[in-house]
Amino acid sequence: MIPTSTILLVIAGVVLIVGTCIGLIMAVRTYLKYPSKSLVTCPETRKAAAVHVDAGKAARDVLQGKHVRIHLNQCSCWPEREPCGQECLSQIENDPQGCSVWGIAQHWYRGRACAYCRKPIDKIHWHDHRPALLSPENKTVRWSEIPAEKLPEVFETHLPVCWSCHMAETFRREHPERVVDRPWKRGAMGEYIDESEETRESQPVHE
Ligand SMILES: [Zn+2]
C-alpha cells in the first residue's frame, strides 16, 4: 500500500511540472509575439520610427506571473526624445506582425519584378540572400542595410532588385573595366529593358 503522503507528493510534482511547462510555453509565445524590430508612426513627430520591444522582459513577467506590460528598449528617435510616453506601443499591441519591419519589407517585395532581370521576387525567407533596391542615383543597396525608419520613404523612390542582379551590378560598379556593358539595353536608371516594351514597368506583376 502506497502511503498517502507519497501519492500527494507525486501529484504535487506532476502539477509543478505541468505548471512549469505551461508557463514556459506562454513565456516563449510572448517572446515570439513581438518582432525583433518594428516600424511605427511616432505620435510626437508623426514620422516613421524603428523600435524594439523588450520581449525578454515581457517573457520574464509571464514566468513570474506578473501582468505583462510591454516596453521599448530601443527607438530610432532616442536619445533626442527619450524618455517619451511610448504611446506608439498601442500600434504594436494592435498588430505586432503588421508593424514588423521584416513583414513590411516582404509585403513590398512580394510579386514585384526585379528592375534588371524582370523576374518576380517571391516570398523572402530569413535564410535567403536579401534582395536589394535601386536608388534614383543608379546604385543598388540591400534593403536590410537601410535604417528601418527610412524604409517607407525609400520604398517610394526605389525599385526592387533581386539578389543576383544586385551582386552583378555591384561587381559592374566596382570593376567597370572587367565588364562589357551594353548601354542600349539599359534604361535611365541603368536597369535592363526589354526593347519590345516602350515603358519600364515597376509595378507588381501580380497582386
Ligand atoms: Zn534580377
Side-chain angles (χ1 to χ4, degrees):
M1 176 97 181
I2 301 172
T4 307
S5 59
T6 303
I7 294 173
L8 290 174
L9 203 61
V10 170
I11 292 172
V14 170
V15 169
L16 187 66
I17 291 170
V18 170
T20 303
C21 289
I22 291 173
L24 281 172
I25 290 169
M26 289 176 66
V28 170
R29 286 183 63 176
T30 300
Y31 184 83
L32 296 177
K33 181 179 175 183
Y34 300 104
S36 57
K37 192 172 279 187
S38 301
L39 207 54
V40 297
T41 301
C42 174
E44 295 183 10
T45 65
R46 309 305 304 169
K47 293 179 180 174
V51 299
H52 185 272
V53 171
D54 191 350
K57 183 179 182 308
R60 286 196 299 276
D61 286 348
V62 170
L63 281 177
Q64 294 167 4
K66 296 180 182 174
H67 175 65
V68 178
R69 291 189 63 185
I70 59 172
H71 297 275
L72 301 180
N73 55 6
Q74 292 174 33
C75 175
S76 57
C77 294
W78 296 352
E80 290 82 6
R81 294 190 173 271
E82 187 184 17
C84 65
Q86 302 194 5
E87 282 88 3
C88 62
L89 281 169
S90 61
Q91 299 170 43
I92 300 173
E93 285 177 308
N94 290 337
D95 188 5
Q97 297 311 312
C99 292
S100 158
V101 171
W102 180 263
I104 290 168
Q106 269 204 340
H107 184 260
W108 188 81
Y109 274 106
R110 193 161 196 176
R112 287 178 185 261
C114 168
Y116 290 101
C117 68
R118 299 302 178 91
K119 289 179 184 170
I121 299 172
D122 208 353
K123 189 173 183 180
I124 311 166
H125 300 284
W126 64 270
H127 50 79
D128 289 342
H129 292 305
R130 307 286 160 80
L133 295 156
L134 178 62
S135 74
E137 293 77 33
N138 193 24
K139 186 177 178 183
T140 59
V141 60
R142 270 182 289 177
W143 74 264
S144 50
E145 293 172 355
I146 295 171
E149 65 274 16
K150 302 286 183 195
L151 282 176
E153 58 187 271
V154 166
F155 284 154
E156 294 286 327
T157 56
H158 289 48
L159 297 177
V161 176
C162 73
W163 165 259
S164 301
C165 290
H166 167 55
M167 294 307 292
E169 287 304 304
T170 302
F171 183 83
R172 174 177 170 269
R173 190 173 64 245
E174 294 177 355
H175 306 283
E177 75 286 355
R178 299 174 68 178
V179 178
V180 178
D181 207 355
R182 295 177 179 172
W184 60 86
K185 285 190 175 179
R186 287 177 178 271
M189 293 176 72
E191 77 281 16
Y192 290 111
I193 56 172
D194 183 341
E195 290 170 313
S196 64
E197 295 179 13
E198 291 188 348
T199 56
R200 174 171 55 83
E201 294 181 13
S202 61
Q203 299 303 312
V205 294
H206 60 80
E207 289 273 72

